[in-house]
Amino acid sequence: MSFSLILFGLLLLTLFLSYVIVPQGTVAVVTVFGKYRRVMMPGLNFKLPFIETVFKRISIQNRSLELEFQAITIDQANVNFKAMLVYSVLNQADETIKNVAFKFVDERSLMQALIRTVEGSIRAFVATQRQAAVLSLRGEIVLHVKDQLDETLESWGYHLIDLQLNDIAFDEEIMRSMAKVVASNNLKAAAENEGQALLITKTKAAEAEGNAIKISAEAEKIAAQLRGQGVALFREEVTKGMAHAVQELAENNLDPSLVYFSMWTEAIKHFAEQGKGNVIFLDGSNEGLEKSLRNMTALQHLDRPAAGR
């Protein structure tokens, strides 16, 4: 009776040890006497009891890791990084699972190697850049790390899905100096813009003044030309009138000098009416009158060629 119970118990134990339940998102690595044998997929699996052993259960889901470290630029500025790393097992192939299961002694060693590799890649890239350029190279840093790590992580059985640089900050003193540089650059740009605006304003004002002077000069030129033409026409008409009057006097057997005497008296009358003085000095002697008549008679000889024209 007792033997039957023992046998029944051994049978139950054997059955219990013969099946393995692997959760979704996980695979199980099976070994035989310490040597890799096969991989169990999610679900109900069977194994040889007392011979096959589940060495390790490996999650094939995405995993994340937060990093905080410091790097130094080529101009000796300290840069503080906060990053998040997203990675996962490359695939479920036997060779990949073997690498994940046996490359590292434990999970702690894997994390240490992964962190140091990512930090080293970023530090190597930042060491070739100046502090002013680092903030604008976030995308380039991520691409550099992925290019450097993909082959290494694949040899471990992992794949880098994403690297996010959540925060890039300099030391407080450097941040203050950068803020001063930005402020001074803004002031410089504002001063340059103000200078350009003032230059444009003065240039436009000078152009407007020049155009006004040019227009005024053109108008004055035209006015002078018109005045000259008017004077010329006036003289021409006066000459024609005098010639016609002299001709009529000559035809009527009268002395032509009467025309010039009349012009002389009209001039004296104009001086008296339009002048601002109170006294007009005239030579009233016979000699003076004869001299004036001779001068006006001489004008007749000067005007005859014009009348002939």
Side-chain angles (χ1 to χ4, degrees):
M1 184 66 180
S2 58
F3 178 75
S4 298
L5 290 174
I6 294 173
L7 185 60
F8 182 73
L10 290 174
L11 181 59
L12 289 178
L13 179 61
T14 301
L15 291 174
F16 178 76
L17 297 176
S18 296
Y19 70 90
V20 177
I21 297 177
V22 180
Q24 185 68 38
T26 305
V27 295
V29 177
V30 178
T31 59
V32 176
F33 303 122
K35 184 179 180 180
Y36 172 79
R37 176 68 180 270
R38 60 190 175 94
V39 176
M40 290 183 178
M41 296 299 163
L44 180 62
N45 294 267
F46 294 92
K47 66 180 182 67
L48 297 176
F50 309 109
I51 298 176
E52 292 184 331
T53 305
V54 176
F55 173 76
K56 183 183 291 186
R57 296 176 185 269
I58 299 174
S59 174
I60 58 175
Q61 295 173 310
N62 295 342
R63 287 181 273 183
S64 64
L65 180 64
E66 290 188 352
L67 308 176
E68 290 187 20
F69 57 93
Q70 189 178 79
I72 301 177
T73 62
I74 193 173
D75 48 358
Q76 302 301 308
N78 292 326
V79 188
N80 300 309
F81 287 91
K82 288 184 179 180
M84 183 182 71
L85 183 69
V86 181
Y87 67 100
S88 68
V89 174
L90 183 60
N91 52 53
Q92 300 181 31
D94 286 356
E95 192 63 31
T96 301
I97 300 301
K98 282 174 63 177
N99 289 333
V100 173
F102 301 107
K103 279 287 184 178
F104 292 93
V105 175
D106 51 26
E107 191 72 15
R108 182 175 175 274
S109 299
L110 170 64
M111 291 297 101
Q112 186 176 12
L114 184 59
I115 292 171
R116 294 295 180 265
T117 302
V118 173
E119 291 179 357
S121 180
I122 294 179
R123 284 174 176 147
F125 182 84
V126 172
T128 63
Q129 306 296 325
R130 295 189 175 276
Q131 67 174 27
V134 170
L135 293 176
S136 62
L137 295 176
R138 190 185 301 262
E140 286 78 356
I141 294 174
V142 172
L143 292 176
H144 173 78
V145 172
K146 286 185 175 181
D147 291 340
Q148 295 290 320
L149 292 186
D150 274 345
E151 186 175 353
T152 301
L153 291 179
E154 285 180 8
S155 66
W156 298 347
Y158 291 94
H159 169 60
L160 180 61
I161 298 175
D162 190 21
L163 174 64
Q164 298 180 8
L165 299 177
N166 300 321
D167 189 21
I168 301 177
F170 295 93
D171 290 342
E172 185 177 353
E173 184 176 353
I174 296 177
M175 294 295 291
R176 286 198 299 268
S177 64
M178 291 177 67
K180 291 180 180 178
V181 170
V182 172
S184 63
N185 288 335
N186 290 338
L187 290 175
K188 179 181 178 182
E192 290 178 351
N193 292 335
E194 184 176 357
Q196 290 292 335
L198 182 61
L199 176 61
I200 293 173
T201 301
K202 288 186 174 295
T203 301
K204 293 299 182 182
E207 290 178 355
E209 184 178 358
N211 290 333
I213 293 173
K214 182 177 179 181
I215 294 172
S216 177
E218 291 290 338
E220 183 64 26
K221 178 181 177 181
I222 295 173
Q225 291 176 348
L226 293 176
R227 285 195 298 269
Q229 292 174 1
V231 171
L233 290 174
F234 171 75
R235 289 176 178 175
E236 183 178 353
E237 293 299 323
V238 169
T239 302
K240 290 180 179 179
M242 290 175 62
H244 181 69
V246 169
Q247 184 178 1
E248 287 185 354
L249 289 173
E251 291 176 354
N252 292 295
N253 297 319
L254 297 175
D255 189 356
S257 61
L258 291 175
V259 174
Y260 303 106
F261 180 78
S262 175
M263 291 176 61
W264 183 69
T265 56
E266 286 294 330
I268 293 174
K269 179 182 178 182
H270 180 77
F271 295 155
E273 291 177 350
Q274 302 297 328
K276 295 182 179 180
N278 297 322
V279 180
I280 300 176
F281 293 96
L282 298 173
D283 187 357
S285 64
N286 293 329
E287 294 80 2
L289 180 59
E290 291 178 359
K291 182 179 180 181
S292 298
L293 289 175
R294 283 196 302 269
N295 291 335
M296 288 187 291
T297 304
L299 291 175
Q300 178 182 2
H301 299 287
L302 294 176
D303 291 338
R304 280 177 182 173
R309 289 195 299 268

